Amino acid sequence: MTDHSADAPRLTTRETADRLGVKPATVYAYASRGQLTSRRDPEGRGSTFDAREVEALARKGRREPAAGGDTPRIRTRITLIDGDRYYFRGVDATELAGRHHYEQIAEWLWTGTLHTEVRFTAPPEALAAARRSIEALPESSGSADRLRVAAIAAGVTDPLRFDLGRDAVLGVARMLIPTLVDALPPCGEPPHPDAPIAERLWSRLTANRPDTASLRALDLALSLLIDHDLAASTLAVRVAASARAHPYAVVSAGLGTLDGPLHGAASGLAHRMLAEVLERGSAAAVVADHLRAGRPVPGLGHRLYSGPDPRAEALFAALERMPTAGAALGAARAVEAATARQTQLCGNVDLALATLSLASRMRPEAGETVFAVARTAGWIAHALEEYGEPGLRLRTSGQYDGPQPPRAVP
């Protein structure tokens, strides 16, 4: 029952949990993080909490209507898109990616601390299970299929996957990303198991031997794509984390959304377009065929940027230093030039990814694999944020538009 002390009304642990829609254990977690102030019940029956603090925390977790509509807003400290730039925790993301490697940036997003020596290692049991599950798939399976079953298989081997404490989730993140990469079938000679993620992923995408500039371009692509505000897959991840799904399931939710043609497949379409440009020797003819068929030209424009996509600018600059990228870069620039008279759309990161995959003799879906591996780090960062919020806060209500009751039972 409520403790009506002289200074402020107080709630028991159970009442607090009910107000916030969480378990009592989560209430104590909020108290340990300083989000709630606890006080021992004078009668010795447990802790009590300030009702005003509880209500403030509950309000923080509720949906806030966005300006001009009913779309819910989700507070995040991870990524800001402002004008034609984007920032990770307030730092220009392209500058960050230019100075540090993928693993370092991932750790910084998760912990707020930059470590220069970071290595991600796949646990043998999880890796073996992930590889077996991928081997059982038909040859026609795509990269998203492989990554999704690998994430599920790795999770099944982890009996502690339901521990949503911060340290436990960070441990999963450091193991899951290398497991996803190392479980993919190799195209060439795999590097040392402790090699950087970019080098290990390269061997899963192409049989070409990498040079320093090519590996740097792939690492840069991974770093640039770690997060991009609340994209569709990231929103799915936040909803899953809000329901307290474990990290493996959270990543699986993101991968499931990424499999949609409107989100994850754009670089593959751009890859095929660039290959056709090189085959036919005419970007104008290829662009005309797309427009004649009523299809948008892949890899152009982005709804969040009125000007150039900063991720594409950074990646194209790195591709200029790749010895094998000349023809693919020429095709990408020719596509931009062929559309310049009709539209102001610039090449986006999907076009840059397609240029990288084509120049490196990767399969068309390679860009989707790069995107998924990169974004896994961002999904974990968002899950960590969401685990600190009241549970099920993203449970929205539908607007019923069907027949009005009561009606006769059919």
Side-chain angles (χ1 to χ4, degrees), residues 14 171 184 233 237 252 259 274 316:
R14 171 51 62 187
L184 294 171
S233 57
V237 161
S252 182
D259 203 23
L274 294 181
F316 275 130

Side-chain angles (χ1 to χ4, degrees), residues 78-210:
I78 299 171
T79 301
L80 168 68
I81 298 176
D82 185 25
D84 285 334
R85 309 301 298 172
Y86 76 119
Y87 304 85
F88 291 157
R89 297 197 182 281
V91 176
D92 188 292
T94 59
E95 293 183 14
L96 190 68
R99 297 186 185 185
H100 300 287
H101 297 293
Y102 170 70
E103 293 94 325
Q104 297 168 343
I105 299 173
E107 280 280 347
W108 184 67
L109 277 186
W110 298 335
T111 67
T113 302
L114 185 67
H115 300 283
T116 55
E117 296 296 328
V118 180
R119 288 291 181 269
F120 292 168
T121 304
E125 185 179 3
L127 180 56
R131 283 175 172 168
R132 287 195 302 269
S133 62
I134 288 178
E135 290 168 358
L137 294 174
E139 292 185 6
S140 60
S141 60
S143 63
D145 302 316
R146 294 172 181 151
L147 293 172
R148 198 159 52 246
V149 300
I152 294 170
V156 172
T157 68
D158 184 0
L160 302 180
R161 61 188 179 277
F162 297 104
D163 184 350
L164 304 185
R166 185 173 185 82
D167 290 343
V169 175
L170 288 173
V172 170
R174 295 172 184 132
M175 295 185 298
L176 179 55
I177 292 174
T179 298
L180 294 178
V181 172
D182 293 350
L184 294 171
C187 297
E189 184 67 27
H192 190 276
D194 289 333
I197 289 294
E199 188 174 344
R200 289 145 75 176
L201 182 58
W202 180 278
S203 70
R204 265 67 187 176
L205 299 177
T206 177
N208 278 18
R209 292 184 63 85

